[in-house]
Amino acid sequence: MKVLITGGAGFIGSHVVRLFVNKYPNYTIYNLDKLTYAGNLANLTDIENKPNYKFIKGDIVDADFINELFAEHQFNAVVHLAAESHVDRSITNPLEFVFTNVIGTVNLLNAYKSIWSVSSPSPLERAGVRPLFYHVSTDEVYGALGDTGMFTETTSYDPHSPYSASKASSDHFVRAYHDTYGLPVVISNCSNNYGPNHFPEKLIPLCISNIKNNKPLPIYGKGENVRDWLYVVDHARAIDVIFHTAKLGSTYNIGGHNEWTNIDVIRLLCKIMDKKLGRAEGTNEKLITFVKDRAGHDLRYAIDSTKLQNDLGWKPSLQFEEGLDKTVDWYLANEEWLTNVTSGAYQKYYESQYVKR
Ligand code: NAD
Ligand code: TYD
C-alpha cells in the first residue's frame, strides 16, 4: 500500500506521518512537501531513516510535476494536508492561498483521478485495501458563531477570511470530484490544533516563544474571541481512524469540546510558564499586551464532533491543561528547534505583523 501524505513536514502533517510510519510498517509512506517557511524536516528526524518512509520535495501547484509523480508511483491513497495555513498571512497575501489551497488541491484531485480510474479496482482494492483521497480541512469554513451553538457537518459554509475561503473552495472541489467522477473521498474539518512542532506564528507557540524571551504577548482586540483547542496528536489519531473506517463521500468534524477565550488561554499559559521558568506567580501575565484586532476576526468557533465519536469511536485523549503542559515542556526541551525557526525570515514577518500594530 503506497500512501501519499502532502504537507508532511508541517505541524499537523509531521504528526500524521509519524503515526502512519510507526503504526503501519506494511505501508510505504511518501511525504510530499515544498518545505515553505512552515515545512521543516527537523520535525521528522526520529523517523527519517525508517524503511517505509520516503520524502519528496515538490510543489502541489506544479501540475506537470504532480501528474508525473502520480504516474510513476501509482499511489493507492492520498492524505492531503499541504496548505498555506495562517489567517494573518492570508490577509496580507490572499493569492498564495488560492495557488496552494485551491489550485494545488485540484492538481492532486486530477492526478489521483487519472491513476484511480485506470487502476480501479486494483489488486489491492480487491484485497480489501480501499483507494481514497482524504482531504484535511478546517472548521473555519463554517464561519463564525455568536455566544451559542456549534458547527455540525451540515452547517452551511460561510467563510470570512481569505484562508477559510480558500479551504472552503478546496472542500467544494473535493466533493465535486466525488459527485461528478465518483472519486472515493472523505473530508474532515478540525478545530484549532496545538502541540509540539507548531510554527510560532500561531497564538500558542508565539506566546510560548515570547514568554520564554520576556517579550510582549500580543492579544488581538480584547482577547474575547473563542477557539476550540485540540491536541495535535489527537487530531492525527482521528485522521487515522477516518482514513481507515469512514464511509466514502462522508464528512467528519473533529474537535475536543474545549472552548477557551484567547485571554484565558494566555493567562493559563503564563501561569504554567511562571512555574516552569521559576518566575514568581503573575510575572508572565505582565507581558500581556492588547493590540489592534485582526480584520474580519471570527468571534467564536465551536465544533460538534458527536458523529465521529459515535460512528467511529474516536475521542480526545488529553485535557487541555495537560496538553498545554506537555506542549510547553516540548518547546523548553527543543530550544534549538525554536531558535532555528525564529531566526532569518521569521524576524521580518514578526516585524511586519507586530512592531507597528
Ligand atoms: P502548516 O502551515 O504547519 O504546514 C503546511 C505544510 O504544507 C508545510 O510543511 C508546507 O511546507 C507545506 N506546503 C505549503 N505549500 C505547499 C505546496 N504548494 N506544495 C507542497 N507543500 C506545501 O499547516 P498545519 O497547521 O500543519 O495544517 C495542515 C492542514 O491542516 C492544512 O490543510 C490546514 O488547513 C489544516 N488544519 C489546520 C488546523 C490548525 O489548527 N493548524 C486546524 C484544522 C485544519
Ligand atoms: P491563530 O493561532 O492564528 O489561529 P486561527 O486564526 O486559525 O484561529 O489565532 C488563534 C486566536 O488567537 C485567534 O482568535 C486570533 C488570536 N491571536 C492573537 O490574539 N494574537 C496573535 O498574535 C495571534 C497569532 C492570534
Side-chain angles (χ1 to χ4, degrees), residues 7 9-13 32-40 58-61 81-85 100 136-138 163 167 190-193 198 202 235:
F11 167 47
I12 301 170
L32 168 65
D33 199 296
K34 183 182 171 184
L35 300 182
T36 66
Y37 76 93
N40 188 351
D59 187 346
I60 60 170
V61 179
L81 293 116
E84 286 293 336
S85 69
T100 288
V136 175
S137 192
T138 167
Y163 165 64
K167 290 297 289 188
C190 188
S191 61
N192 286 59
N193 285 213
H198 207 181
K202 308 273 170 72
H235 187 189

Side-chain angles (χ1 to χ4, degrees), residues 85-88 138 140 163 192-193 198 201-207 217-221 223 225-227 229 262 291 293-294 297-299 301 349 354 357:
S85 69
H86 188 33
V87 172
D88 290 328
T138 167
E140 300 188 27
Y163 165 64
N192 286 59
N193 285 213
H198 207 181
E201 64 186 353
K202 308 273 170 72
L203 178 68
I204 289 179
L206 185 138
C207 288
L217 308 177
I219 305 297
Y220 299 165
N225 302 68
V226 174
R227 296 294 182 264
W229 294 97
N262 293 336
V291 299
D293 208 352
R294 172 187 278 170
H297 197 173
D298 286 341
L299 177 65
Y301 303 144
Y349 164 78
Y354 295 103
R357 196 174 183 116

